[in-house]
């Protein structure tokens, strides 16, 4: 029901960047109401707003409303300053109301390995996450740019007698 993956198996401990993919799987008979996703990151790991454009409240919870089909959420995470190397975890919770109007919560965690720049040589890339990210970016670009055909309009205006008499046509250099 709730899957989370990272684009890279490791992240640089100083000015590093990674992407978190949260997938809420489709449901056969259950419609999730008042669904919201909360992400808990380790200390000194930050994130941008979700790349999908879902509304986020002041606490950073992503509000999805009703969910009846599969939803993807992409989050860019990063470090600003040097943080200690090692392994920590990212925890994602999905809370919702089910068909019986009972509040439920699902928790999932994923390890986050912070390493130095020299240790990034043998990083593993999750191609599924990258392809989802590319697909999202391509659809987002298509939404932003809409082409309109050029329209040329010819207008002939008549000058009034005063305009004809006192009009000065000149060019400034």
């Amino acid at each position: 029901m709730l899957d989370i993956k990272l684009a890279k198996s490791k992240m640089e401990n100083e000015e590093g960047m990674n992407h978190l993919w949260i997938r809420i799987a489709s449901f056969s008979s259950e419609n999730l109401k008042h669904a919201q996703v909360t992400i808990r990151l380790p200390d000194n790991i930050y994130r941008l707003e979700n790349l999908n454009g879902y509304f986020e409240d002041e606490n950073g919870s992503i509000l999805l409303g009703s969910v009846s089909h599969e939803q993807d959420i992409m989050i860019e995470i990063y470090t600003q300053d040097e943080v200690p190397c090692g392994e920590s975890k990212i925890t994602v919770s999905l809370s919702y109301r089910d068909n019986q109007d009972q509040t439920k919560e699902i928790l999932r965690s994923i390890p986050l390995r912070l390493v130095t720049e020299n240790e990034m040589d043998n990083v593993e890339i999750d191609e599924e996450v990258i392809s989802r990210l590319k697909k999202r970016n391509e659809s987002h670009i298509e939404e932003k740019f809409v082409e309109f055909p050029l329209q040329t309009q010819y207008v002939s205006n008549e000058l009034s007698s005063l305009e004809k008499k006192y009009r000065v046509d000149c060019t400034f250099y």
Side-chain angles (χ1 to χ4, degrees):
M1 185 180 256
L2 179 65
D3 296 320
I4 55 177
K5 291 183 176 184
L6 287 168
K8 298 185 288 188
S9 61
K10 303 174 187 176
M11 186 167 129
E12 283 185 54
N13 71 325
E14 186 175 4
E15 296 183 12
M17 192 256 312
N18 206 340
H19 285 88
L20 176 67
W21 174 36
I22 303 167
R23 185 173 70 97
I24 303 170
S26 58
F27 317 98
S28 56
S29 62
E30 197 166 26
N31 185 23
L32 311 184
K33 295 177 236 157
H34 305 288
Q36 73 176 36
V37 172
T38 305
I39 303 164
R40 290 181 202 93
L41 295 171
D43 291 338
N44 300 315
I45 305 294
Y46 305 95
R47 74 174 185 91
L48 297 176
E49 287 187 3
N50 70 85
L51 299 174
N52 303 79
Y54 295 118
F55 179 79
E56 295 189 32
D57 66 12
E58 63 278 352
N59 299 323
S61 293
I62 301 166
L63 307 178
L64 301 173
S66 286
V67 178
S68 59
H69 60 284
E70 186 173 297
Q71 298 280 337
D72 285 337
I73 302 170
M74 298 299 282
I75 304 285
E76 184 177 321
I77 61 173
Y78 62 95
T79 58
Q80 288 182 330
D81 301 312
E82 187 175 350
V83 296
C85 292
E87 192 169 299
S88 52
K89 67 179 178 175
I90 297 172
T91 302
V92 175
S93 70
L94 169 66
S95 60
Y96 62 94
R97 291 185 176 266
D98 64 8
N99 290 338
Q100 288 76 38
D101 210 31
Q102 295 178 343
T103 302
K104 295 194 174 183
E105 183 176 34
I106 300 170
L107 288 172
R108 295 285 186 268
S109 294
I110 190 168
L112 175 65
R113 267 185 78 199
L114 295 166
V115 298
T116 63
E117 183 180 359
N118 298 337
E119 297 173 280
M120 289 295 291
D121 292 339
N122 57 355
V123 67
E124 295 174 18
I125 304 293
D126 189 319
E127 293 300 329
E128 186 179 14
V129 177
I130 298 300
S131 69
R132 291 281 180 150
L133 187 61
K134 285 180 182 176
K135 181 179 170 184
R136 195 218 64 83
N137 285 341
E138 288 169 2
S139 67
H140 187 66
I141 288 170
E142 289 172 9
E143 290 172 5
K144 276 190 159 182
F145 297 103
V146 178
E147 290 185 29
F148 292 99
L150 290 177
Q151 293 182 350
T152 306
Q153 192 174 35
Y154 297 100
V155 178
S156 63
N157 290 331
E158 287 190 29
L159 299 175
S160 70
S161 60
L162 291 175
E163 283 178 305
K164 289 179 188 176
K165 188 174 180 180
Y166 296 106
R167 183 178 176 122
V168 177
D169 288 325
C170 63
T171 305
F172 295 100
Y173 295 98

